[in-house]
Amino acid sequence: MKKRLFALILSILMIISFISCAKTDDAILDDADDDTKQEVSETEDEKEIESIIEDESYENLELLSGEWMFVSGQVEGYEFSSEEAGFTTNLSISEGIAYYEHIMDNDKKSFTAQIEYLNKPLYEMCANDKWSVKFVPVESDFDKEEEFYATLIDDDTLLLQNFYPFDGLMGVSYQTYTRK
């Protein structure tokens, strides 16, 4: 009799333990579902933010706004600092308009340009692989064949790309600027 009572109590305890475990498993599954929903929600939020960053040209154009100081350049593979350049430049951008001035000896050229947003990098393997801009001159002292493009490498570094006619071909130069 004692053995039967002991077996009965043990069976009841096992059933209670089993029911308790089942409830815990359900709670874990519910929590997992909540976590999954939260992860999906976070993933959707991240995608939305990325699409805003990629699609909102206005925000990227606003990032370009400011006064920029020339620090270095590169022409056909030759790199030089602003001190070695032999010329000075001024670049300022505000409200979708760029003003660029290039002074070498007594020769001064400048342009005022509207900024056209491009959903492509400045060049292949560029640090900013999302977007660049084209400066579309409204007024310009430069040759009509010259083209100017730019992008931000980081918040305070702008890279200017200039295609220019040279001996019947198009040359390319790069100028790096930091925010003043």
Side-chain angles (χ1 to χ4, degrees):
M1 176 106 158
K2 286 184 183 181
K3 287 183 184 180
R4 286 186 188 173
L5 184 58
F6 179 73
L8 180 63
I9 292 173
L10 186 59
S11 295
I12 291 172
L13 287 174
M14 288 176 66
I15 291 171
I16 291 172
S17 174
F18 178 74
I19 291 171
S20 174
C21 285
K23 286 183 180 179
T24 302
D25 287 346
D26 287 344
I28 289 171
L29 288 175
D30 287 344
D31 286 346
D33 287 344
D34 290 343
D35 289 344
T36 302
K37 288 176 188 172
Q38 186 175 356
E39 286 176 18
V40 168
S41 175
E42 287 173 4
T43 302
E44 288 171 0
D45 289 345
E46 288 170 3
K47 286 180 183 175
E48 184 177 342
I49 289 168
E50 284 177 15
S51 71
I52 288 170
I53 289 170
E54 290 176 9
D55 295 339
E56 292 296 324
S57 61
Y58 176 78
E59 289 180 20
N60 291 334
L61 292 178
E62 283 299 303
L63 295 172
L64 291 170
S65 291
E67 298 288 321
W68 296 91
M69 180 176 68
F70 173 62
V71 291
S72 66
Q74 179 182 13
V75 177
E76 303 301 325
Y78 173 71
E79 294 183 27
F80 51 89
S81 68
S82 59
E83 294 81 22
E84 298 169 316
F87 62 85
T88 59
T89 65
N90 297 306
L91 176 62
S92 98
I93 300 171
S94 178
E95 297 179 15
I97 302 293
Y99 177 74
Y100 176 76
E101 186 176 68
H102 185 275
I103 304 164
M104 184 172 202
D105 300 325
N106 292 329
D107 186 30
K108 176 181 169 185
K109 291 182 179 181
S110 64
F111 70 69
T112 302
Q114 292 180 328
I115 298 173
E116 179 183 321
Y117 182 82
L118 305 172
N119 268 328
K120 62 180 187 176
L122 194 61
Y123 56 86
E124 193 174 313
M125 304 296 287
C126 182
N128 179 349
D129 63 353
K130 303 284 186 214
W131 61 272
S132 61
V133 296
K134 179 178 182 178
F135 295 135
V136 181
V138 177
E139 295 178 25
S140 179
D141 298 328
F142 289 90
D143 291 334
K144 290 186 190 268
E145 296 85 23
E146 286 198 60
E147 294 182 0
F148 294 86
Y149 299 85
T151 194
L152 287 182
I153 301 302
D154 61 43
D155 289 344
D156 295 319
T157 307
L158 180 141
L159 183 61
L160 180 75
Q161 181 184 55
N162 172 218
F163 290 99
Y164 58 93
F166 181 74
D167 288 341
L169 301 171
M170 291 300 281
V172 63
S173 70
Y174 294 92
Q175 297 172 17
T176 304
Y177 292 80
T178 58
R179 196 179 298 277
K180 286 185 181 179

